[in-house]
């Protein structure tokens, strides 16, 4: 695989891979935390580690926190292996698969036909038996509990090698406290070709006129052949009044977006979709929606359409926060950004600027200038260094 990759590994990737290779060569199970910037190339490092285990005749499991990410990981790994003519078999197991597909996957896993098994929490369920599990890779480890991470074991209850990964860097003091049982590897270089992401706070309380500029900015990216994410904090209930969409930006998004009890109404997928259908600047733009309540087949259909550039603008909840890779997406607009934490915002903006064009992230807030969350937004806008943000996050908490 290494000899056929279309790119060279960074020095950091090479160093981490050497650490992992040394761990895998010993009889003591590896317990290693790999923390690296969004887009620093953790996935390819984990695949090379998994292939070392497959070469030794054993199986690997890759645990992902969402179905969207599990399916995307499986597709990406299969493509990489196919392009390099590496004869390793990748099998997917998620909770929403049909019974027949699940049975086939379980049979491949227990018989040893599956070299790499990619799945969600479904991998930890009773009834999943591995032929000979040698390595467990946990993506976005903070989405899983310790017992869940340890739930995957060999056929006789033995602990396999473990590599847990996070793109939300953790201050060393926290890492030592929470992950005292893990060796820590750090990837702080971005591969060649990764573009910087510029981040700006859009304060609608002070600048109500900027609301319309958001959508002309989105149109500029789409006209340039790129794609746009619009991230919102809420799905929207079946009873949502679609008129809510029209009110989103009333009086700069303050008075018009309040509900009957006087609270600011959070932007939802439903409302945003209704609103954007009537925005003149987006006339003719192909708009899609994605959220956690959709069934797995529909989620996959929407993400595939977005990857193929059949959708120009995707309105989504945070289901796209981790791992989703669409190199053509260059602009992300995060509505009610003050409702997200520092690490979540950092993760989200890592979805843009993954191709040859630079990425832009707009943090839209209706909070007043002295609002407590504005400090958090300013911190995210001020640096793309995840390690520095983790320090600020710890300080603020």
């Amino acid at each position: 695989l290494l000899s056929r990759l279309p790119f060279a590994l960074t020095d950091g990737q090479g160093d981490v891979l050497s650490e992992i290779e040394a761990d895998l060569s010993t009889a003591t199970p590896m317990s290693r935390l790999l923390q690296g910037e969004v887009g620093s190339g953790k996935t390819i490092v984990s695949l090379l580690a998994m292939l070392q285990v497959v070469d030794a005749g054993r199986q690997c499991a890759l645990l992902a926190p969402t179905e969207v990410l599990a399916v995307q990981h499986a597709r990406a790994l299969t493509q990489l292996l196919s392009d390099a003519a590496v004869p390793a078999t990748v099998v997917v197991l998620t909770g929403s698969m049909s019974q027949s597909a699940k049975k086939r996957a379980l049979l491949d896993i227990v018989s040893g036909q599956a070299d790499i098994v990619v799945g969600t929490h479904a991998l930890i369920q009773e009834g999943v038996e591995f032929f000979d599990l040698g390595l467990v890779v946990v993506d976005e480890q903070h989405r899983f509990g310790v017992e869940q991470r340890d739930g995957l074991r060999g056929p006789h209850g033995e602990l396999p090698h473990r590599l847990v990964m996070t793109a939300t860097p953790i201050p060393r003091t926290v890492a030592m406290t929470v992950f005292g049982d893990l060796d820590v590897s750090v990837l702080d270089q971005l591969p060649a070709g990764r573009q910087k992401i510029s981040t700006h706070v859009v304060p609608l309380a002070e600048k109500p006129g900027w609301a319309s500029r958001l959508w002309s900015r989105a149109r500029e990216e789409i006209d340039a052949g790129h794609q746009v994410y619009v991230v919102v904090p809420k799905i929207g209930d079946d009873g949502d009044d679609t008129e809510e969409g029209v009110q989103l930006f009333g009086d700069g998004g303050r008075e018009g977006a309040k509900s009957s009890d006087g609270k600011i109404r959070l932007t939802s997928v439903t409302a945003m979709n209704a609103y954007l259908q009537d925005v003149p600047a987006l006339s003719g733009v192909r708009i899609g929606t994605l959220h956690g309540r959709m069934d797995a087949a529909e989620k996959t259909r929407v993400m595939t359409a977005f990857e193929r550039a059949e959708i120009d603008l995707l309105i989504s909840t945070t289901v796209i926060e981790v791992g989703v890779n669409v190199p053509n997406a260059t602009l992300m607009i995060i509505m009610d950004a003050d409702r997200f934490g520092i690490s979540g915002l950092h993760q989200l903006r890592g979805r843009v600027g993954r191709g040859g064009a630079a990425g832009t992230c707009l943090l839209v807030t209706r909070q007043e200038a002295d609002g407590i969350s504005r400090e958090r937004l300013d911190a995210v806008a001020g640096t793309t260094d995840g390690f520095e943000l983790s320090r600020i996050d710890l300080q603020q908490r």
Side-chain angles (χ1 to χ4, degrees), residues 134-308:
L135 169 66
V136 175
V137 178
V138 184
D139 196 14
E140 294 311 320
Q141 54 74 30
H142 60 282
R143 301 291 188 93
F144 298 93
V146 174
E147 287 182 13
Q148 288 179 318
R149 290 205 310 263
D150 290 350
L152 284 167
R153 291 181 175 252
H156 307 295
E158 66 275 20
L159 201 61
H161 293 293
R162 276 186 310 156
L163 177 67
V164 296
M165 305 193 296
T166 180
T168 308
I170 302 159
R172 180 169 170 75
T173 48
V174 178
M176 292 302 290
T177 308
V178 183
F179 302 107
D181 59 328
L182 301 176
D183 295 316
V184 179
S185 293
V186 173
L187 274 180
D188 51 10
Q189 284 176 288
L190 290 183
R194 277 304 299 260
Q195 302 294 321
K196 278 284 185 189
I197 302 166
S198 56
T199 306
H200 308 279
V201 179
V202 179
L204 295 185
E206 300 111 87
K207 310 272 187 182
W210 286 14
S212 57
R213 172 67 185 133
L214 286 172
W215 312 118
S216 51
R217 182 74 188 80
R219 185 61 191 242
E220 287 164 14
E221 289 297 318
I222 292 164
D223 286 347
H226 301 306
Q227 289 161 280
V228 177
Y229 290 105
V230 177
V231 178
V232 298
K234 183 179 152 194
I235 295 173
D237 300 316
D238 295 337
D240 258 358
D241 182 358
T242 51
E243 282 302 304
E244 179 190 335
V246 180
Q247 298 170 359
L248 279 176
F249 298 104
D251 190 26
R254 284 174 294 168
E255 298 307 319
K258 285 185 178 176
S259 55
S260 54
D261 62 1
K263 290 181 180 173
I264 282 185
R265 192 182 277 156
L266 290 182
T267 313
S268 69
V269 173
T270 313
M272 197 84 242
N273 192 29
Y275 176 78
L276 293 185
Q277 300 295 338
D278 296 327
V279 171
L282 297 179
S283 174
V285 166
R286 297 166 298 175
I287 297 174
T289 59
L290 184 70
H291 57 75
R293 267 192 227 141
M294 293 161 65
D295 66 53
E298 181 64 5
K299 274 190 263 193
T300 301
R301 186 195 68 74
V302 172
M303 271 315 302
T304 303
F306 193 60
E307 285 167 15
R308 292 177 179 165

Side-chain angles (χ1 to χ4, degrees), residues 333-348:
I333 299 170
I334 305 178
M335 306 301 301
D336 295 318
D338 48 274
R339 296 304 180 109
F340 300 89
I342 285 180
S343 63
L345 291 170
H346 183 55
Q347 282 271 20
L348 281 166

Side-chain angles (χ1 to χ4, degrees), residues 5-23:
L5 282 177
F7 51 84
L9 295 186
T10 63
D11 291 344
Q13 285 173 312
D15 291 345
V16 169
L17 202 53
S18 296
E19 291 173 352
I20 293 170
E21 283 173 352
D23 284 352

